[in-house]
Amino acid sequence: MTNAPLRWGIMGTGGIAAAFAEDLELTDSGVVAAVGSRTAESAGRFADDHRVETRHSSYEALANDPDVDVVYVATPHPMHHGNARLALEAGKPVLVEKPFTMNANEARDLVDLARGRDLFLMEAMWTRFLPHVRHVRELLPDLGTVVTVAADHGQWFAEDPAFRLFAPELGGGALLDLGIYPVSFASMVLGAPERVAAMATAAFTGVDAQMSMLLGYASGAQAVLTCTLSAVSPTTASIVGTEGRIEIDGPFYAPASFTFIPREGERRRFEYVDEGRGLRFQADEVALRLAAGETGSPLMPLDETVSIMTTMDRVLAATRT
């Protein structure tokens, strides 16, 4: 990591921005140096709440702040592409909250821009960097041939047309906000699917309230994934192979424990407990890669981020046929 902590600039002042700022205090790899919002009032409140010295009343000002080393884009989904572009065009390394963009075309544009300017860029799929997920990846060879991946993510939200998950103009819907976790999890294990089938149920505002996905792979493996914003689901995940399976407790996408169950022999339990929300690990990863002069992370490669957004596009298209 760098000798001095990275100076982070946060674009956005919502819940995930606040969680990131709080978790950054648990690591020595970085500090929040500045926050930017569309209004001085919002930036000021966030800065006061999180003891941030510099506050900007525009995203442009944050992107061009010479005292910011790296930008974290934590604005609503439809703004990710434009905000990340601002930061990249200002020459800043960028961490973009998931979903990376609204679609694969926007994702490709950001990746091309970052690569053209030799700048660091990464999707903030923070699950990838959690200790239990790293351990799960190490155990995948012990499962033999993976046959099935299953994952769900369900939360309950009061029906409010102004709330971002119900608002079409804010990129609302279960898939983009919640379903990204199961889709990314399946991608981590099985890669890009050959076939995509999906079924959606609409919310009162027209966004998808529930989505069920069936992904098929060249190996013959299948992924069964669901998400809903209408009810609290187990939010667990499992990876089933010919020689055993891994069952991850809910919520699987946050710091969690898991069990390895071999086809023959005794099961093994792995307990993981972490302070904070788990967002600090992605901040450490960014610091590690920047210190090494790298422009991406092998744990969340940019090509895979584009592939995941392509799968999300295919899922949405499958619900319209």
Side-chain angles (χ1 to χ4, degrees):
M1 294 186 183
T2 54
N3 292 326
L6 282 179
R7 297 172 299 177
W8 285 88
I10 298 180
M11 281 189 182
T13 57
I16 195 67
F20 183 80
E22 291 165 6
D23 271 23
L24 203 56
E25 296 180 1
L26 301 175
T27 181
D28 59 4
S29 70
V31 296
V32 182
V35 60
S37 182
R38 288 173 291 184
T39 67
E41 292 76 16
S42 178
R45 284 194 300 271
F46 187 95
D48 291 342
D49 289 344
H50 300 282
R51 300 175 300 283
V52 179
E53 182 175 348
T54 304
R55 64 281 312 264
H56 295 287
S57 58
S58 73
Y59 300 131
E60 292 85 354
L62 178 76
N64 289 288
D65 187 336
D67 294 323
V68 167
D69 298 319
V70 56
V71 170
Y72 169 50
V73 175
T75 50
H77 312 334
M79 301 174 68
H80 288 181
H81 176 254
N83 291 159
R85 254 195 163 273
L86 273 178
L88 290 169
E89 289 171 348
K92 294 290 198 297
V94 184
L95 175 68
V96 185
E97 187 51 47
K98 50 79 205 150
F100 192 66
T101 50
M102 290 294 289
N103 54 58
N105 285 337
E106 289 184 350
R108 291 188 195 95
D109 180 67
L110 291 182
V111 171
D112 289 345
L113 178 59
R115 286 174 172 167
R117 301 197 175 203
D118 198 30
L119 288 168
F120 178 91
L121 178 65
M122 189 179 85
E123 179 185 4
M125 177 45 74
W126 51 283
T127 302
R128 292 290 178 99
F129 311 103
L130 296 175
H132 81 279
V133 173
R134 288 175 180 253
H135 194 178
V136 164
R137 295 182 81 159
E138 292 173 0
L139 292 172
L140 289 180
D142 296 342
L143 295 179
T145 301
V146 174
V147 174
T148 307
V149 169
D152 79 280
H153 187 180
Q155 297 187 37
W156 179 88
F157 299 95
E159 292 188 344
D160 176 359
F163 180 54
R164 64 181 182 83
L165 262 75
F166 291 108
E169 68 276 12
L170 296 178
L175 179 65
L176 283 173
D177 203 88
L178 307 179
I180 183 66
Y181 289 103
V183 171
S184 184
F185 183 79
S187 176
M188 180 187 76
V189 179
L190 293 171
E194 275 195 343
R195 294 166 292 158
V196 174
M199 179 181 295
T201 300
F204 68 103
T205 56
V207 301
D208 57 288
Q210 180 162 303
M211 185 79 71
S212 295
M213 297 159 272
L214 180 61
L215 311 182
Y217 299 83
S219 65
Q222 297 179 4
V224 183
L225 315 173
T226 62
C227 59
T228 179
L229 49 75
S230 302
V232 179
S233 72
T235 314
T236 56
S238 62
I239 307 169
V240 182
T242 54
E243 299 301 318
R245 71 182 187 271
I246 292 171
E247 296 181 350
I248 307 176
D249 299 350
F252 75 90
Y253 61 86
S257 300
F258 70 93
T259 304
F260 180 91
I261 305 169
R263 182 165 54 84
E264 296 180 350
E266 296 185 2
R267 64 178 58 202
R268 288 179 283 163
R269 179 72 175 167
F270 300 96
E271 301 285 348
Y272 283 93
V273 177
D274 186 67
E275 60 179 327
R277 290 274 299 275
L279 301 179
R280 65 189 177 99
F281 298 103
Q282 65 181 354
D284 287 342
E285 177 72 5
V286 173
L288 176 68
R289 299 303 166 185
L290 287 177
E294 300 174 25
T295 56
S297 168
L299 296 180
M300 190 66 256
L302 289 173
D303 287 339
E304 187 184 358
T305 288
V306 173
S307 174
I308 289 168
M309 291 313 305
T310 300
T311 299
M312 301 277 276
D313 288 351
R314 294 177 66 190
V315 167
L316 287 172
T319 65
R320 302 185 183 115
T321 57

